[in-house]
Amino acid sequence: MLLRLAAEKATGALLRDRGTLYLVDGQVVHAESPAAPGIDVLLTAAGRLGADSWQGALREAGTHGSVGRHLVDSGRLSGGELEICHLGALFDAAYFALAPNSGPSRFRYGVAHWMGAVRPVPADAVQRETLRRRALLDRLWAHPETDTAPVVPITRHPGDRVVPRRAAVLELADGVRTPGDIARALGRPAFHTLVDVRRLAAAGLVETPATAAPPEPPPEVARVMEMSADPDVALLRRLRDALEATL
């Protein structure tokens, strides 16, 4: 659907259960997801922008859909700083919004985001990057359920060594926070945190969530399955004889 909207040069919001992509003339200009820190978190947590400055920009330019432009014009950020941070937030949220299990897609024509266009990204580039990130994570630890489940630490042994970046993630793993919560608390992009969590899971330092077992079939279905587990040899012979008789 994203590529079809891009071909139509559509403008509006593509809504899915786990995120929203905003398009202008078929290109992606912004993305949001509850599972990923927004651009406000990435800017303020890094100390590059104060919370008061961010709120002031929202008040002054939010209704006009030009917060990004206002941050640059007012001297709060350089154009390069805004662009880098915005692209990071966009690809972060798009990873979740375009996940296979993100539910049905709905498109609302004409809807614009208050951030405004910073650097539009072609839809196929967003799709390629999302697939690349998913493949990378699966190479690290092929358990996508770790991306959204609470991070449960496992007791460490004295010989376990963890690099500082992942140690910070491990310190916040309390069995309640998800990777998105930890990313938000650290002020880091969600994808970077997903990489850390999957590496920790592969190293046996956090639990890998158990996948749900398939439901048991109803008793009557189970009986039929049990009865039909072995082929009826006599029936197969009769079918063979009938076929041979017609040749």
Side-chain angles (χ1 to χ4, degrees), residues 59-195:
R59 287 193 302 270
E60 296 172 37
T63 56
H64 306 295
S66 58
V67 171
R69 186 73 264 159
H70 179 79
L71 289 171
V72 175
D73 291 345
S74 62
R76 292 184 172 98
L77 290 175
S78 69
E81 287 176 311
L82 175 63
E83 187 174 304
I84 290 172
C85 192
H86 180 261
L87 286 176
L90 187 156
F91 284 117
D92 236 18
Y95 172 81
F96 294 98
L98 296 177
N101 58 348
S102 188
S105 301
R106 305 171 301 282
F107 190 73
R108 295 183 179 175
Y109 286 91
V111 175
H113 193 268
W114 43 260
M115 190 69 189
V118 176
R119 182 183 176 182
V121 182
D124 58 347
V126 174
Q127 185 183 51
R128 282 197 307 273
E129 177 61 13
T130 299
L131 294 174
R132 186 194 70 83
R133 293 184 176 205
R134 192 171 300 133
L136 171 61
L137 290 174
D138 285 344
R139 285 198 300 271
L140 296 175
W141 191 242
H143 294 275
E145 58 272 17
T146 59
D147 292 349
T148 53
V151 184
V152 182
I154 296 175
T155 303
R156 294 169 58 182
H157 301 290
D160 292 334
R161 299 182 63 183
V162 183
V163 298
R165 179 179 184 82
R166 288 194 281 279
V169 173
L170 202 53
E171 287 177 5
L172 293 177
D174 58 0
V176 177
R177 294 187 181 97
T178 65
D181 296 330
I182 293 175
R184 205 168 280 107
L186 294 173
R188 297 178 182 175
F191 179 71
H192 296 177
T193 307
L194 297 184
V195 170

